[in-house]
PDB file of all heavy atoms in Angstrom:
ATOM      1  N   ARG A 391      99.229 114.006  71.811  1.00 97.00           N
ATOM      2  CA  ARG A 391      98.197 112.962  71.863  1.00 97.00           C
ATOM      3  C   ARG A 391      97.048 113.284  72.823  1.00 97.00           C
ATOM      4  O   ARG A 391      96.069 112.538  72.915  1.00 97.00           O
ATOM      5  CB  ARG A 391      98.827 111.619  72.245  1.00 97.00           C
ATOM      6  CG  ARG A 391      99.695 111.081  71.134  1.00 97.00           C
ATOM      7  CD  ARG A 391     100.211 109.699  71.457  1.00 97.00           C
ATOM      8  NE  ARG A 391     101.140 109.278  70.425  1.00 97.00           N
ATOM      9  CZ  ARG A 391     100.778 108.656  69.296  1.00 97.00           C
ATOM     10  NH1 ARG A 391      99.526 108.342  69.087  1.00 97.00           N
ATOM     11  NH2 ARG A 391     101.693 108.332  68.396  1.00 97.00           N
ATOM     12  N   LEU A 392      97.181 114.372  73.549  1.00 97.00           N
ATOM     13  CA  LEU A 392      96.079 114.759  74.443  1.00 97.00           C
ATOM     14  C   LEU A 392      94.863 115.129  73.596  1.00 97.00           C
ATOM     15  O   LEU A 392      95.011 115.650  72.493  1.00 97.00           O
ATOM     16  CB  LEU A 392      96.473 115.979  75.282  1.00 97.00           C
ATOM     17  CG  LEU A 392      97.355 115.769  76.507  1.00 97.00           C
ATOM     18  CD1 LEU A 392      97.763 117.123  77.097  1.00 97.00           C
ATOM     19  CD2 LEU A 392      96.649 114.935  77.574  1.00 97.00           C
ATOM     20  N   PRO A 393      93.638 114.877  74.102  1.00 98.00           N
ATOM     21  CA  PRO A 393      92.450 115.305  73.362  1.00 98.00           C
ATOM     22  C   PRO A 393      92.520 116.824  73.106  1.00 98.00           C
ATOM     23  O   PRO A 393      93.062 117.559  73.932  1.00 98.00           O
ATOM     24  CB  PRO A 393      91.292 114.968  74.307  1.00 98.00           C
ATOM     25  CG  PRO A 393      91.842 114.039  75.330  1.00 98.00           C
ATOM     26  CD  PRO A 393      93.314 114.234  75.375  1.00 98.00           C
ATOM     27  N   GLU A 394      91.970 117.250  71.973  1.00 97.00           N
ATOM     28  CA  GLU A 394      92.014 118.681  71.610  1.00 97.00           C
ATOM     29  C   GLU A 394      91.475 119.563  72.737  1.00 97.00           C
ATOM     30  O   GLU A 394      92.008 120.627  73.014  1.00 97.00           O
ATOM     31  CB  GLU A 394      91.199 118.937  70.326  1.00 97.00           C
ATOM     32  CG  GLU A 394      91.934 118.544  69.049  1.00 97.00           C
ATOM     33  CD  GLU A 394      93.338 119.139  68.924  1.00 97.00           C
ATOM     34  OE1 GLU A 394      93.484 120.351  69.193  1.00 97.00           O
ATOM     35  OE2 GLU A 394      94.284 118.389  68.590  1.00 97.00           O
ATOM     36  N   LYS A 395      90.387 119.081  73.370  1.00 98.00           N
ATOM     37  CA  LYS A 395      89.762 119.924  74.404  1.00 98.00           C
ATOM     38  C   LYS A 395      90.636 120.052  75.648  1.00 98.00           C
ATOM     39  O   LYS A 395      90.592 121.060  76.343  1.00 98.00           O
ATOM     40  CB  LYS A 395      88.376 119.386  74.751  1.00 98.00           C
ATOM     41  CG  LYS A 395      87.376 119.663  73.630  1.00 98.00           C
ATOM     42  CD  LYS A 395      86.055 118.988  73.852  1.00 98.00           C
ATOM     43  CE  LYS A 395      85.122 119.278  72.677  1.00 98.00           C
ATOM     44  NZ  LYS A 395      83.992 118.361  72.636  1.00 98.00           N
ATOM     45  N   ALA A 396      91.432 119.023  75.911  1.00 98.00           N
ATOM     46  CA  ALA A 396      92.370 119.104  77.049  1.00 98.00           C
ATOM     47  C   ALA A 396      93.474 120.096  76.719  1.00 98.00           C
ATOM     48  O   ALA A 396      93.891 120.901  77.556  1.00 98.00           O
ATOM     49  CB  ALA A 396      92.955 117.730  77.354  1.00 98.00           C
ATOM     50  N   LYS A 397      93.941 120.066  75.465  1.00 97.00           N
ATOM     51  CA  LYS A 397      94.977 121.020  75.041  1.00 97.00           C
ATOM     52  C   LYS A 397      94.433 122.442  75.115  1.00 97.00           C
ATOM     53  O   LYS A 397      95.141 123.355  75.524  1.00 97.00           O
ATOM     54  CB  LYS A 397      95.437 120.700  73.613  1.00 97.00           C
ATOM     55  CG  LYS A 397      96.384 119.508  73.566  1.00 97.00           C
ATOM     56  CD  LYS A 397      97.102 119.427  72.244  1.00 97.00           C
ATOM     57  CE  LYS A 397      96.423 118.427  71.355  1.00 97.00           C
ATOM     58  NZ  LYS A 397      97.062 118.189  70.085  1.00 97.00           N
ATOM     59  N   ARG A 398      93.162 122.588  74.710  1.00 97.00           N
ATOM     60  CA  ARG A 398      92.570 123.928  74.748  1.00 97.00           C
ATOM     61  C   ARG A 398      92.505 124.453  76.188  1.00 97.00           C
ATOM     62  O   ARG A 398      92.754 125.620  76.449  1.00 97.00           O
ATOM     63  CB  ARG A 398      91.165 123.895  74.120  1.00 97.00           C
ATOM     64  CG  ARG A 398      90.849 125.169  73.363  1.00 97.00           C
ATOM     65  CD  ARG A 398      89.628 125.024  72.481  1.00 97.00           C
ATOM     66  NE  ARG A 398      89.808 124.056  71.415  1.00 97.00           N
ATOM     67  CZ  ARG A 398      88.820 123.336  70.888  1.00 97.00           C
ATOM     68  NH1 ARG A 398      87.592 123.442  71.331  1.00 97.00           N
ATOM     69  NH2 ARG A 398      89.056 122.493  69.911  1.00 97.00           N
ATOM     70  N   TYR A 399      92.176 123.549  77.104  1.00 98.00           N
ATOM     71  CA  TYR A 399      92.129 123.941  78.522  1.00 98.00           C
ATOM     72  C   TYR A 399      93.512 124.440  78.977  1.00 98.00           C
ATOM     73  O   TYR A 399      93.642 125.506  79.576  1.00 98.00           O
ATOM     74  CB  TYR A 399      91.660 122.746  79.375  1.00 98.00           C
ATOM     75  CG  TYR A 399      91.526 123.029  80.861  1.00 98.00           C
ATOM     76  CD1 TYR A 399      90.542 123.896  81.329  1.00 98.00           C
ATOM     77  CD2 TYR A 399      92.371 122.430  81.794  1.00 98.00           C
ATOM     78  CE1 TYR A 399      90.411 124.166  82.685  1.00 98.00           C
ATOM     79  CE2 TYR A 399      92.238 122.681  83.142  1.00 98.00           C
ATOM     80  CZ  TYR A 399      91.261 123.548  83.595  1.00 98.00           C
ATOM     81  OH  TYR A 399      91.139 123.808  84.941  1.00 98.00           O
ATOM     82  N   LEU A 400      94.539 123.676  78.638  1.00 98.00           N
ATOM     83  CA  LEU A 400      95.898 124.062  79.047  1.00 98.00           C
ATOM     84  C   LEU A 400      96.334 125.362  78.363  1.00 98.00           C
ATOM     85  O   LEU A 400      96.957 126.227  78.995  1.00 98.00           O
ATOM     86  CB  LEU A 400      96.893 122.936  78.707  1.00 98.00           C
ATOM     87  CG  LEU A 400      96.698 121.644  79.501  1.00 98.00           C
ATOM     88  CD1 LEU A 400      97.575 120.534  78.930  1.00 98.00           C
ATOM     89  CD2 LEU A 400      97.009 121.843  80.983  1.00 98.00           C
ATOM     90  N   GLU A 401      95.972 125.502  77.095  1.00 97.00           N
ATOM     91  CA  GLU A 401      96.339 126.736  76.378  1.00 97.00           C
ATOM     92  C   GLU A 401      95.654 127.948  76.995  1.00 97.00           C
ATOM     93  O   GLU A 401      96.245 129.019  77.109  1.00 97.00           O
ATOM     94  CB  GLU A 401      95.969 126.630  74.891  1.00 97.00           C
ATOM     95  CG  GLU A 401      97.007 125.829  74.107  1.00 97.00           C
ATOM     96  CD  GLU A 401      96.430 125.238  72.823  1.00 97.00           C
ATOM     97  OE1 GLU A 401      95.375 125.711  72.331  1.00 97.00           O
ATOM     98  OE2 GLU A 401      97.051 124.272  72.317  1.00 97.00           O
ATOM     99  N   ARG A 402      94.405 127.748  77.419  1.00 98.00           N
ATOM    100  CA  ARG A 402      93.681 128.861  78.049  1.00 98.00           C
ATOM    101  C   ARG A 402      94.353 129.253  79.372  1.00 98.00           C
ATOM    102  O   ARG A 402      94.479 130.436  79.698  1.00 98.00           O
ATOM    103  CB  ARG A 402      92.207 128.464  78.270  1.00 98.00           C
ATOM    104  CG  ARG A 402      91.352 129.595  78.770  1.00 98.00           C
ATOM    105  CD  ARG A 402      91.212 130.722  77.733  1.00 98.00           C
ATOM    106  NE  ARG A 402      90.560 131.900  78.317  1.00 98.00           N
ATOM    107  CZ  ARG A 402      91.015 133.151  78.190  1.00 98.00           C
ATOM    108  NH1 ARG A 402      92.092 133.406  77.478  1.00 98.00           N
ATOM    109  NH2 ARG A 402      90.372 134.163  78.746  1.00 98.00           N
ATOM    110  N   LEU A 403      94.814 128.247  80.119  1.00 98.00           N
ATOM    111  CA  LEU A 403      95.517 128.550  81.378  1.00 98.00           C
ATOM    112  C   LEU A 403      96.787 129.348  81.082  1.00 98.00           C
ATOM    113  O   LEU A 403      97.074 130.346  81.742  1.00 98.00           O
ATOM    114  CB  LEU A 403      95.885 127.267  82.138  1.00 98.00           C
ATOM    115  CG  LEU A 403      94.736 126.395  82.655  1.00 98.00           C
ATOM    116  CD1 LEU A 403      95.276 125.255  83.523  1.00 98.00           C
ATOM    117  CD2 LEU A 403      93.719 127.209  83.442  1.00 98.00           C
ATOM    118  N   THR A 404      97.520 128.926  80.065  1.00 97.00           N
ATOM    119  CA  THR A 404      98.749 129.644  79.693  1.00 97.00           C
ATOM    120  C   THR A 404      98.445 131.106  79.384  1.00 97.00           C
ATOM    121  O   THR A 404      99.155 132.004  79.832  1.00 97.00           O
ATOM    122  CB  THR A 404      99.391 128.995  78.447  1.00 97.00           C
ATOM    123  OG1 THR A 404      99.520 127.614  78.690  1.00 97.00           O
ATOM    124  CG2 THR A 404     100.747 129.583  78.139  1.00 97.00           C
ATOM    125  N   GLU A 405      97.346 131.322  78.621  1.00 97.00           N
ATOM    126  CA  GLU A 405      96.983 132.711  78.265  1.00 97.00           C
ATOM    127  C   GLU A 405      96.626 133.514  79.507  1.00 97.00           C
ATOM    128  O   GLU A 405      97.106 134.622  79.705  1.00 97.00           O
ATOM    129  CB  GLU A 405      95.743 132.710  77.366  1.00 97.00           C
ATOM    130  CG  GLU A 405      96.034 132.396  75.913  1.00 97.00           C
ATOM    131  CD  GLU A 405      94.728 132.108  75.159  1.00 97.00           C
ATOM    132  OE1 GLU A 405      93.603 132.407  75.669  1.00 97.00           O
ATOM    133  OE2 GLU A 405      94.853 131.550  74.067  1.00 97.00           O
ATOM    134  N   LEU A 406      95.784 132.924  80.341  1.00 98.00           N
ATOM    135  CA  LEU A 406      95.306 133.659  81.511  1.00 98.00           C
ATOM    136  C   LEU A 406      96.436 133.967  82.493  1.00 98.00           C
ATOM    137  O   LEU A 406      96.409 134.972  83.185  1.00 98.00           O
ATOM    138  CB  LEU A 406      94.220 132.851  82.239  1.00 98.00           C
ATOM    139  CG  LEU A 406      92.868 132.770  81.546  1.00 98.00           C
ATOM    140  CD1 LEU A 406      92.007 131.687  82.186  1.00 98.00           C
ATOM    141  CD2 LEU A 406      92.158 134.131  81.638  1.00 98.00           C
TER     142      LEU A 406
END
Side-chain angles (χ1 to χ4, degrees):
R391 290 185 185 272
L392 280 173
E394 281 308 314
K395 287 172 182 163
K397 283 195 261 184
R398 215 167 296 150
Y399 182 68
L400 293 171
E401 280 157 19
R402 186 66 189 132
L403 295 187
T404 308
E405 280 167 14
L406 287 166

